Amino acid sequence: GVDVRAINHVGTSDISNVVTAATLNVPPPVTTLAYGTVTTSTIALTWAAPTQDPRAPISHYEVRYTVSGVPHTAVVTSSTKTNFTIGGGAGSPVSGPLGLGAVVTNIEVRAVNRVGSAARSNNVAATTLNVPSPVMDLAVQAATSTTLPLTWTVPISDERAPITG
């Protein structure tokens, strides 16, 4: 506890009442950042809110990420919203969709309260879906009047978006 005495040239006062206080801290870090749905133009993020001190509740979250080597920061202004979509328009500093095969790295989230910013969360990375690479080595094999047999090398495909035809 803490107490105080007043002092002047005559002497020292009696001890004041004793008070105890705890300091306020920044929030703990987000530890469960993950990406969910990934499309050809967006990457959806989710996380669990860290434990809060009711005396210094979380005011907002900062989402930091890098697209094509350019760093971005977005602010999720709701303290209860624990998701964000990169390339999703509102609140996203990347105007419009990300585009096919966009590589997004260094994705991190931090909780912020009136004391300051928490340490950064775990780091994740994701790539938007992309079209398959072109068919290679297309060739015609022994054509007849009724058939045209073709062969080719199967193109590289994103396993999250397999070739269907």
Side-chain angles (χ1 to χ4, degrees):
V2 177
D3 58 46
V4 177
R5 293 179 185 218
I7 301 172
N8 66 15
H9 73 282
V10 178
T12 302
S13 72
D14 290 336
I15 297 173
S16 70
N17 59 306
V18 176
V19 296
T20 58
T23 58
L24 298 177
N25 294 307
V26 298
V30 168
T31 58
T32 57
L33 175 63
Y35 63 88
T37 303
V38 176
T39 70
T40 57
S41 60
T42 62
I43 298 170
L45 305 173
T46 61
W47 61 89
T51 304
Q52 296 192 50
D53 180 340
R55 299 169 305 136
I58 293 170
S59 59
H60 64 279
Y61 293 94
E62 289 179 354
V63 181
R64 295 178 182 215
Y65 56 95
T66 302
V67 179
S68 301
V70 179
H72 299 277
T73 301
V75 176
V76 177
T77 57
S78 170
S79 64
T80 59
K81 185 176 178 187
T82 55
N83 60 69
F84 180 76
T85 300
I86 298 173
S92 181
V94 174
S95 58
L98 291 171
L100 298 173
V103 178
V104 182
T105 59
N106 302 317
I107 304 170
E108 301 169 330
V109 174
R110 341 196 263 187
V112 180
N113 67 10
R114 64 187 172 131
V115 179
S117 299
R120 292 188 175 112
S121 69
N122 56 302
N123 183 305
V124 298
T127 303
T128 58
L129 301 179
N130 204 350
V131 297
S133 62
V135 169
M136 301 293 286
D137 306 319
L138 179 61
V140 176
Q141 305 294 317
T144 69
S145 61
T146 58
T147 63
L148 185 62
L150 301 173
T151 61
W152 62 85
T153 301
V154 176
I156 297 171
S157 174
D158 184 332
E159 61 191 36
R160 300 168 300 157
I163 296 171
T164 57

